[in-house]
Amino acid sequence: MTRKGTLTIQRKTILEIVTMATDHPTAADVMERLKERGCQFAYATVYNSLRYLTDEGMIRELKLDGDSSRYDARTEDHQHIVCVSCGRVDEVFTDAPQEWLHHVAEETGYDIQEQQYLFKGVCAACKISTKPIH
Protein backbone atom coordinates (compact mmCIF):
# COMPACT_ATOMS: atom_id res chain seq x y z
CA MET A 1 0.00 0.00 0.00
CA THR A 2 2.81 2.40 0.77
CA ARG A 3 5.73 3.18 -1.46
CA LYS A 4 8.99 1.70 -0.26
CA GLY A 5 11.09 4.10 1.77
CA THR A 6 8.38 6.73 2.22
CA LEU A 7 7.85 6.26 5.94
CA THR A 8 10.08 8.83 7.58
CA ILE A 9 11.03 8.57 11.24
CA GLN A 10 8.33 11.16 12.00
CA ARG A 11 5.65 9.23 10.12
CA LYS A 12 6.67 5.94 11.76
CA THR A 13 6.51 7.54 15.21
CA ILE A 14 3.10 9.11 14.55
CA LEU A 15 1.79 5.82 13.12
CA GLU A 16 2.98 4.03 16.26
CA ILE A 17 1.19 6.54 18.50
CA VAL A 18 -2.09 6.15 16.60
CA THR A 19 -1.72 2.36 16.50
CA MET A 20 -1.11 2.13 20.26
CA ALA A 21 -3.97 4.51 21.11
CA THR A 22 -7.22 3.17 22.48
CA ASP A 23 -9.04 6.50 22.33
CA HIS A 24 -8.98 7.66 18.67
CA PRO A 25 -6.65 10.63 19.23
CA THR A 26 -6.93 14.05 17.64
CA ALA A 27 -3.90 15.77 16.10
CA ALA A 28 -3.53 17.71 19.36
CA ASP A 29 -3.54 14.41 21.30
CA VAL A 30 -0.82 13.07 18.99
CA MET A 31 1.25 16.24 19.59
CA GLU A 32 0.89 15.80 23.37
CA ARG A 33 1.94 12.15 23.19
CA LEU A 34 4.94 13.07 21.05
CA LYS A 35 6.00 15.61 23.69
CA GLU A 36 5.60 12.96 26.42
CA ARG A 37 8.05 10.82 24.42
CA GLY A 38 10.48 13.72 24.18
CA CYS A 39 9.83 14.29 20.46
CA GLN A 40 9.65 17.83 19.17
CA PHE A 41 7.77 17.67 15.85
CA ALA A 42 6.36 20.80 14.25
CA TYR A 43 2.57 21.05 14.03
CA ALA A 44 2.83 21.00 10.22
CA THR A 45 4.82 17.76 10.38
CA VAL A 46 2.14 16.10 12.51
CA TYR A 47 -0.74 17.28 10.32
CA ASN A 48 1.07 16.40 7.09
CA SER A 49 2.04 12.98 8.46
CA LEU A 50 -1.53 12.24 9.57
CA ARG A 51 -2.76 13.25 6.10
CA TYR A 52 -0.13 11.06 4.42
CA LEU A 53 -0.92 8.03 6.62
CA THR A 54 -4.64 8.52 5.92
CA ASP A 55 -4.12 8.89 2.16
CA GLU A 56 -2.00 5.72 2.14
CA GLY A 57 -4.74 3.79 3.96
CA MET A 58 -2.60 3.09 7.02
CA ILE A 59 -4.99 4.92 9.37
CA ARG A 60 -8.54 6.27 9.10
CA GLU A 61 -9.59 9.85 9.70
CA LEU A 62 -12.84 10.05 11.65
CA LYS A 63 -15.05 13.07 11.37
CA LEU A 64 -17.21 12.67 14.43
CA ASP A 65 -18.89 15.37 16.50
CA GLY A 66 -16.95 18.57 17.02
CA ASP A 67 -14.35 20.32 14.94
CA SER A 68 -11.35 18.03 15.39
CA SER A 69 -10.78 14.93 13.31
CA ARG A 70 -9.81 11.80 15.19
CA TYR A 71 -7.57 9.03 13.93
CA ASP A 72 -7.97 5.27 14.04
CA ALA A 73 -5.40 2.61 13.15
CA ARG A 74 -8.14 0.02 12.63
CA THR A 75 -8.80 0.28 8.91
CA GLU A 76 -11.24 -2.62 8.53
CA ASP A 77 -14.90 -1.69 8.11
CA HIS A 78 -16.48 -0.69 11.39
CA GLN A 79 -18.55 2.10 12.90
CA HIS A 80 -18.19 4.26 15.99
CA ILE A 81 -20.24 5.19 19.03
CA VAL A 82 -19.63 8.40 20.98
CA CYS A 83 -20.58 9.04 24.60
CA VAL A 84 -22.55 12.27 24.72
CA SER A 85 -21.48 12.75 28.34
CA CYS A 86 -17.68 12.26 28.35
CA GLY A 87 -16.80 12.12 24.64
CA ARG A 88 -15.42 8.57 24.74
CA VAL A 89 -15.31 6.88 21.30
CA ASP A 90 -15.64 3.13 20.85
CA GLU A 91 -15.78 0.82 17.86
CA VAL A 92 -18.90 -1.01 16.68
CA PHE A 93 -18.51 -4.11 14.50
CA THR A 94 -22.18 -4.98 14.00
CA ASP A 95 -23.05 -5.09 10.29
CA ALA A 96 -25.88 -2.98 8.92
CA PRO A 97 -28.91 -5.03 7.89
CA GLN A 98 -28.59 -5.83 4.17
CA GLU A 99 -32.33 -5.30 3.67
CA TRP A 100 -32.00 -1.74 4.94
CA LEU A 101 -29.04 -1.04 2.65
CA HIS A 102 -31.03 -2.47 -0.27
CA HIS A 103 -33.92 -0.10 0.52
CA VAL A 104 -31.56 2.89 0.73
CA ALA A 105 -30.06 1.97 -2.67
CA GLU A 106 -33.52 1.56 -4.22
CA GLU A 107 -34.78 4.84 -2.77
CA THR A 108 -31.76 6.88 -3.88
CA GLY A 109 -30.63 5.05 -7.02
CA TYR A 110 -27.11 4.88 -5.57
CA ASP A 111 -24.78 1.90 -5.79
CA ILE A 112 -23.65 1.90 -2.15
CA GLN A 113 -19.87 1.46 -1.90
CA GLU A 114 -19.43 1.91 1.85
CA GLN A 115 -21.40 2.98 4.89
CA GLN A 116 -20.52 5.14 7.84
CA TYR A 117 -22.72 5.41 10.89
CA LEU A 118 -22.19 7.40 14.04
CA PHE A 119 -24.04 6.19 17.08
CA LYS A 120 -24.44 8.37 20.15
CA GLY A 121 -25.31 7.40 23.68
CA VAL A 122 -24.09 7.33 27.26
CA CYS A 123 -21.22 4.94 28.02
CA ALA A 124 -21.40 2.42 30.86
CA ALA A 125 -19.05 4.45 33.10
CA CYS A 126 -21.13 7.62 32.70
CA LYS A 127 -24.38 5.73 33.29
CA ILE A 128 -23.02 4.46 36.60
CA SER A 129 -21.66 7.84 37.69
CA THR A 130 -24.88 9.70 36.89
CA LYS A 131 -27.26 7.32 38.67
CA PRO A 132 -29.10 9.13 41.43
CA ILE A 133 -28.23 8.09 44.99
CA HIS A 134 -31.25 7.05 47.08
Side-chain angles (χ1 to χ4, degrees):
M1 207 177 260
T2 60
R3 296 176 296 277
K4 188 172 183 172
T6 54
L7 273 186
T8 62
I9 297 293
Q10 293 87 349
R11 290 174 181 167
K12 285 180 185 175
T13 305
I14 290 167
L15 177 59
E16 184 178 301
I17 285 173
V18 175
T19 301
M20 291 174 50
T22 59
D23 62 346
H24 304 82
T26 64
D29 294 332
V30 171
M31 283 294 298
E32 186 61 35
R33 292 169 196 182
L34 285 166
K35 287 178 187 173
E36 289 170 3
R37 287 184 173 202
C39 300
Q40 297 298 319
F41 295 174
Y43 281 102
T45 300
V46 173
Y47 284 103
N48 291 338
S49 295
L50 289 168
R51 173 62 38 224
Y52 174 86
L53 295 168
T54 300
D55 290 347
E56 291 296 314
M58 300 176 81
I59 62 174
R60 289 174 66 184
E61 180 179 12
L62 308 175
K63 302 221 184 246
L64 306 175
D65 280 353
D67 296 330
S68 298
S69 291
R70 292 177 169 265
Y71 296 91
D72 189 355
R74 296 190 81 163
T75 57
E76 70 272 20
D77 284 340
H78 66 282
Q79 310 309 321
H80 294 91
I81 188 164
V82 177
C83 179
V84 296
S85 182
C86 69
R88 174 185 170 136
V89 179
D90 286 305
E91 275 117 358
V92 177
F93 290 95
T94 303
D95 291 329
Q98 289 302 308
E99 181 181 334
W100 185 71
L101 294 175
H102 176 73
H103 287 302
V104 171
E106 271 188 354
E107 180 182 319
T108 63
Y110 277 68
D111 178 17
I112 298 173
Q113 302 294 312
E114 70 177 82
Q115 313 97 138
Q116 293 184 16
Y117 310 106
L118 176 61
F119 300 95
K120 296 179 184 179
V122 178
C123 72
C126 288
K127 279 195 312 190
I128 291 170
S129 68
T130 58
K131 283 188 177 178
I133 300 173
H134 296 287

